[in-house]
Amino acid sequence: MTTTPKQPDPLDNPQMKQIIDNTIAEFSEQNGALMVVLNHLQERIGYITKPMQAYIARKMNVPVSKVHGVVSFYSFFTTEPRGKHVVKFCIGTACYVGGVSQLIDKAKQVLGIEPGQTTSDGLITLEVCRCVGACSQAPVVVIDDQNHGRVKPSQFGRMLTDIQKSEVVA
Amino acid sequence: MAYYRSTVLVSMDPVCIEKGALEIKEQLIKELALLKLSEEVQVLDSPRLGDPETEGPDILVYPEGSHYIQLSPATVGPIVLEHFVKGRELQQYKAQMRDVLDEELGEPKDKEIRIILENIGKIDPRNIEDYIAVDGYQALAKVLGEMSPEEVIQTILDSKLRGRGGAGFPTGLKWKFARQAPDTPKYMICNADEGDPGAFMNRKVLEGDPHSVLEGMAIGAYAVGANQGYVYCRAEYPIAVSTLNTAIEQAREYGLLGKDILGSGFDFDIEVRMGAGAFVCGEETALMASIEGGRGEPRARPPFPASKGLWGKPTNINNVETYANVPKIIHRGLEWYTSMGSEKSKGTKTFALAGDVAHTGLIEVPFGLTLREIIYDIGGGIKGGKAFKAVQTGGPMGGCLPASDLDLPVDYETLGAAGSIMGSGGMIVMDEGTCMVDIARFFMEFTQDESCGKCVPCRVGTRRLLEILEKICAGNGEEGDIEELEELSEQIRKNSLCGLGQGAPNPVLSTLNHFMDEYKAHIYEKRCPAKVCRALIKYEIIDGPCTGCTVCARNCPVGAITGERKQTHIIDQDICIKCGICYQVCQFDAINVS
Ligand SMILES: Cc1cc2nc3c(=O)[nH]c(=O)nc-3n(C[C@H](O)[C@H](O)[C@H](O)COP(=O)(O)O)c2cc1C
Ligand code: SF4
Ligand code: FES
């Protein structure tokens, strides 16, 4: 069911390219700038494509292989756009013991996709993540950067359909 | 900075001002002057303290933490007299204790001592004056004004403070090595990567009391001779990053960071750098590689960071909580600090209690308390009246300890000897419903995924360990698996470069050691005693208790349950994925697991 909606590269979009240029200019003077630039681009653009990596390398005067090496090393950096809403399952110890796998099963049932995939309408991406530090509220699901604790499978199905519904209305 | 005995915060919330907060403040200053207390008690403006509508105008007195509410100029006199002269609280104006603390940090329990957590929830982390009001930055002022770097290092050595990041290395010694390194410039790093799943003590300190960490770093920087510091914070903690940045800006404005701090001629500034989701970056050499902008891969030590660290220069790296201890030691003195804890581990340690324990959340205890005291007296025992099975300490490099170890005192040496580690303070309690083979598999999945791949034993060995554990959980375990797990573990431990590889076998070895029966049940009897491993269990609906309420059928994620309303339902074993949701939602105990 998964497809990656074919999108033009952010570099081809003047507005996005401006953001990329500004970000590089803003941080490239710092020591260890590459990580800082990538972190900000991940946040501002949402992903870092291969052409973007080549562009960053050229602008910052470092080998492309280095940029690629860094992007691929860290799990926070993604090379493809995600869905409009990102639902992350914490798979830290407390959440594992607290039953997060049942929530993943529930999501598979409701959305028909696995963690790492995006619904075909580009609406929701499922991901797993490391402990988000809210362990006393396990199991934790992070929906668009908002932590939800003590989630029950029955309630979670509704949370997902709520996201879908909110989009239909909007 | 003058030393004040007490500080009175006056809420300057607009509603409070409307209700006369300015007059209250004026009256306070007047009364204090009359009693010749102006030198001892300072009066400061504060953002809102309580609820201005129902409690304002109100004041908060530190360090006692007394909150007086609904004041009028006439009530100020009696409060000042009772509180500051007679030394007792005037109950009639005191606010009832409210649940100001959130659910992650409840009221301290009997055996707790809160030093690191004491300000959290009580001061506004985004207002430096709140921190100053509780004697914040007094230690830095004392160090810069009265102590030589060598004296500071000696004090930290004498305090026996040990690194809270896991290994427990003496902090004073680390500082001494960095001071002695001839090369310059030198760097100070705070390790705020807190990657152990189940641990969130550092996050709470960064979000609730960031200045205590900055002050500790500044004191350390003076001691080792560093002028630039970095806090490396994991990307999963955006609120901590923003709180830190605000705190750093405010400290600069107040002359507590930057050039010529407090007129002492000492320069020190701090920057926050973010990680990007790699657990191994908590390892100190990997962390420095990451700050330098590269892949966070560990390198061999020596050379140690103290001689060659960030950008090849002498670097001191400590954990968040280690730094947060420093101002307290300097300000309140060695005698106070060393009176807490055990022989070799002084002071307190914060823990994040999680899992099947009644009260989850953060706690802080002196070293030397037993696991039983922590889990039962403070944590309230096991949730839902089930039986205790194991406690996991030290994160993915730690181990699982059984009930027979509950009376061990918690300190670095004892936990290490028992086959676990102190680690950074995650403590996950597991009840009888936890399968220890599954837990070992879970941790191996984590380390296998997080291994940076540089060393073959770590990369390939953890994958092989995982394969064997998965096989056992799937019911395909065979003769010789246990021996292979043991041998592989030994090889990985011996031949890995960094602590990740060296510690990776611990969850396997400790569960093999204490829960061998469970491994054997899986391998030889194809049975999961805790009824967790999906391949080895079966869910069935029992005829009698089932009322045909349809809840299970509606909740089953794969539609394996069928049945008419008010008729006993049936689970189709070919479709069932054994997620156990039906077992949880059934209100009539009609689901049987076998
Ligand atoms: C795989 C691995 C992960 C680590 N993660 C952390 C961490 O998240 N936080 C931390 O303070 N120390 C961590 N450490 C320990 C650090 O390498 C280092 O010992 C510590 O920051 C030193 O500070 P301390 O002396 O104050 O404890 C980790 C070590 C290893 C091997
Ligand atoms: S032990 Fe593992 S994580 Fe550590 S350097 Fe080697 S491969 Fe990387
Ligand atoms: S394990 Fe999920 S928040 Fe910590």
Side-chain angles (χ1 to χ4, degrees):
Chain A
M1 269 212 52
T2 157
T3 55
T4 334
K6 198 83 202 123
Q7 281 190 356
D9 195 87
L11 280 172
D12 301 331
N13 173 327
Q15 230 175 332
M16 297 250 207
K17 181 156 183 300
Q18 191 65 50
I19 297 178
I20 297 171
D21 284 335
N22 290 350
T23 306
I24 295 174
E26 190 178 343
F27 300 106
S28 61
E29 292 304 308
Q30 290 189 1
N31 284 333
L34 185 56
M35 270 293 278
V36 185
V37 167
L38 292 175
N39 254 320
H40 281 89
L41 285 178
Q42 176 70 38
E43 192 193 314
R44 291 173 186 178
I45 307 279
Y47 54 110
I48 307 169
T49 60
K50 282 261 168 66
M52 279 168 73
Q53 294 174 27
Y55 184 74
I56 295 163
R58 188 146 38 85
K59 280 266 190 167
M60 295 184 66
N61 222 353
V62 290
V64 187
S65 59
K66 164 140 193 193
V67 180
H68 180 68
V70 172
V71 170
S72 59
F73 186 82
Y74 297 96
S75 63
F76 244 62
F77 299 142
T78 49
T79 53
E80 282 174 13
R82 294 149 142 174
K84 189 160 174 200
H85 300 279
V86 180
V87 177
K88 291 189 212 170
F89 300 92
C90 172
I91 51 164
T93 322
C95 292
Y96 182 73
V97 174
V100 78
S101 18
Q102 298 187 339
L103 299 180
I104 299 180
D105 288 337
K106 190 77 196 178
K108 284 187 204 161
Q109 175 204 9
V110 175
L111 303 175
I113 55 169
E114 307 252 347
Q117 300 181 332
T118 303
T119 50
S120 53
D121 55 3
L123 188 61
I124 300 178
T125 297
L126 296 183
E127 287 179 0
V128 293
C129 67
R130 294 290 177 227
C131 172
V132 294
C135 324
S136 57
Q137 292 156 58
V140 177
V141 180
V142 189
I143 303 179
D144 297 331
D145 290 332
Q146 187 78 40
N147 290 354
H148 298 263
R150 303 220 171 86
V151 182
K152 298 204 173 62
S154 51
Q155 169 199 11
F156 184 55
R158 218 169 317 129
M159 289 163 73
L160 289 173
T161 42
D162 280 351
I163 301 180
Q164 292 174 319
K165 275 188 217 137
S166 71
E167 286 299 323
V168 177
V169 179
Chain B
M1 263 190 196
Y3 282 86
Y4 289 106
R5 165 164 73 99
S6 287
T7 302
V8 186
L9 299 177
V10 186
S11 165
M12 285 297 158
D13 182 271
V15 175
C16 293
I17 292 181
E18 201 179 297
K19 291 180 170 184
L22 293 170
E23 292 76 40
I24 303 279
K25 183 182 173 190
E26 205 174 297
Q27 191 68 24
L28 257 172
I29 294 173
K30 217 182 318 172
E31 299 275 354
L32 287 168
L34 271 177
L35 295 164
K36 305 215 172 354
L37 289 171
S38 307
E39 303 278 286
E40 290 178 45
V41 182
Q42 65 176 339
V43 179
L44 293 178
D45 293 352
S46 156
R48 71 149 65 171
L49 298 165
D51 177 5
E53 298 290 347
T54 60
E55 296 178 333
D58 52 341
I59 62 171
L60 193 55
V61 187
Y62 278 113
E64 300 86 329
S66 316
H67 187 195
Y68 295 107
I69 58 172
Q70 297 171 353
L71 302 179
S72 68
T75 52
V76 170
I79 290 175
V80 169
L81 193 66
E82 283 289 314
H83 193 110
F84 296 107
V85 180
K86 300 191 182 158
R88 52 185 185 219
E89 294 178 324
L90 203 55
Q91 294 302 333
Q92 68 206 88
Y93 302 111
K94 253 196 83 189
Q96 294 297 315
M97 276 304 263
R98 265 176 307 134
D99 269 63
V100 276
L101 301 174
D102 56 90
E103 67 175 311
E104 287 179 347
L105 186 66
E107 287 297 318
K109 303 276 182 335
D110 260 358
K111 296 190 171 168
E112 282 191 64
I113 300 183
R114 297 226 177 134
I115 303 172
I116 299 300
L117 303 176
E118 72 178 343
N119 292 335
I120 295 172
K122 301 198 178 122
I123 64 171
D124 177 359
R126 294 187 176 261
N127 185 347
I128 192 172
E129 287 187 0
D130 268 30
Y131 180 66
I132 293 174
V134 291
D135 292 342
Y137 289 108
Q138 299 254 4
L140 180 62
K142 180 169 171 188
V143 161
L144 295 181
E146 302 167 16
M147 294 170 82
S148 70
E150 287 75 15
E151 281 169 339
V152 177
I153 291 175
Q154 194 57 48
T155 306
I156 298 302
L157 275 171
D158 292 343
S159 76
K160 302 206 174 132
L161 173 64
R162 300 172 65 167
R164 302 291 195 248
F169 192 81
T171 305
L173 211 51
K174 217 183 234 189
W175 290 12
K176 192 168 163 182
F177 293 147
R179 166 127 209 114
Q180 286 166 346
D183 205 1
T184 52
K186 296 179 185 180
Y187 296 102
M188 246 5 224
I189 298 179
C190 174
N191 189 339
D193 201 47
E194 197 165 56
D196 289 3
F200 55 99
M201 308 77 49
N202 290 175
R203 172 175 69 78
K204 207 70 187 163
V205 172
L206 295 171
E207 288 177 3
D209 195 9
H211 288 285
S212 66
V213 181
L214 302 181
E215 187 180 6
M217 283 180 80
I219 292 169
Y222 173 75
V224 311
N227 301 113
Q228 178 65 47
Y230 293 95
V231 181
Y232 184 88
C233 189
R234 64 197 294 247
E236 287 87 342
Y237 290 177
I239 301 171
V241 171
S242 108
T243 313
L244 268 171
N245 277 322
T246 308
I248 291 171
E249 247 164 64
Q250 292 185 352
R252 284 188 194 130
E253 274 167 35
Y254 278 69
L256 297 163
L257 281 180
K259 294 246 173 283
D260 190 19
I261 297 175
L262 296 171
S264 64
F266 171 63
D267 304 338
F268 181 63
D269 211 337
I270 300 177
E271 255 184 58
V272 181
R273 289 294 170 93
M274 256 164 78
F279 172 74
V280 73
C281 285
E283 197 278 338
E284 53 193 30
T285 59
L287 187 152
M288 291 186 283
S290 183
I291 294 183
E292 289 169 7
R295 291 165 65 94
E297 285 173 359
R299 61 156 176 80
R301 299 172 307 175
F304 285 94
S307 54
K308 273 195 185 332
L310 195 60
W311 289 296
K313 299 294 180 185
T315 302
N316 179 73
I317 175 164
N318 282 121
N319 169 262
V320 170
E321 190 176 332
T322 313
Y323 284 126
N325 269 288
V326 169
K328 319 269 177 186
I329 295 171
I330 304 272
H331 185 65
R332 293 185 208 167
L334 283 175
E335 203 176 317
W336 165 79
Y337 192 76
T338 51
S339 71
M340 297 174 289
S342 60
E343 178 58 30
K344 287 187 174 167
S345 310
K346 294 294 178 198
T348 61
K349 178 77 196 79
T350 59
F351 288 96
L353 271 182
D356 302 320
V357 64
H359 311 303
T360 56
L362 287 188
I363 60 159
E364 180 172 353
V365 295
F367 282 104
L369 235 54
T370 64
L371 286 165
R372 188 185 302 280
E373 285 173 298
I374 293 179
I375 295 167
Y376 285 87
D377 297 351
I378 299 176
I382 303 297
K383 201 163 50 182
K386 292 199 187 157
F388 171 91
K389 183 157 188 183
V391 55
Q392 209 278 344
T393 67
M397 270 83 250
C400 297
L401 301 176
S404 56
D405 282 344
L406 275 175
D407 289 311
L408 293 179
V410 172
D411 61 40
Y412 296 95
E413 283 75 20
T414 314
L415 289 185
S420 184
I421 56 169
M422 182 82 182
S424 58
M427 197 176 269
I428 295 167
V429 180
M430 302 171 188
D431 70 15
E432 55 193 333
T434 318
C435 168
M436 300 318 285
V437 186
D438 181 59
I439 287 296
R441 185 200 58 76
F442 167 78
F443 278 113
M444 206 40 63
E445 199 171 80
F446 180 93
T447 22
Q448 199 272 318
D449 197 38
E450 292 294 349
S451 161
C452 80
K454 194 166 165 174
C455 322
V456 178
C458 174
R459 186 182 67 227
V460 180
T462 54
R463 176 161 324 133
R464 180 70 195 132
L465 280 181
L466 177 61
E467 280 166 10
I468 300 173
L469 291 167
E470 279 174 343
K471 194 176 81 176
I472 298 176
C473 290
N476 301 322
E478 50 198 340
E479 188 81 49
D481 281 349
I482 292 175
E483 291 71 23
E484 193 178 351
L485 286 176
E486 283 169 343
E487 269 164 40
L488 267 169
S489 294
E490 206 44 48
Q491 280 173 22
I492 300 171
R493 181 204 292 282
K494 271 205 230 117
N495 301 317
S496 293
L497 179 66
C498 87
L500 191 150
Q502 290 157 9
N506 279 347
V508 180
L509 291 174
S510 66
T511 46
L512 274 173
N513 191 3
H514 299 298
F515 302 95
M516 181 59 94
D517 286 352
E518 230 171 311
Y519 277 89
K520 287 189 173 154
H522 281 74
I523 298 175
Y524 301 112
E525 299 165 33
K526 309 295 173 209
R527 192 168 62 81
C528 174
K531 300 177 182 171
V532 171
C533 294
R534 291 185 178 186
L536 302 178
I537 53 171
K538 195 165 149 193
Y539 288 90
E540 279 163 325
I541 297 174
I542 321 166
D543 205 358
C546 177
T547 62
C549 72
T550 76
V551 161
C552 57
R554 278 182 282 127
N555 277 286
C556 174
V558 289
I561 306 180
T562 48
E564 293 293 311
R565 179 169 273 282
K566 303 213 173 126
Q567 302 282 315
T568 303
H569 283 45
I570 277 190
I571 303 180
D572 184 336
Q573 297 298 336
D574 292 338
I575 304 178
C576 173
I577 55 167
K578 294 163 189 164
C579 67
I581 291 179
C582 54
Y583 180 75
Q584 277 179 3
V585 294
C586 179
Q587 313 206 344
F588 308 99
D589 289 331
I591 312 271
N592 183 44
V593 203
S594 56

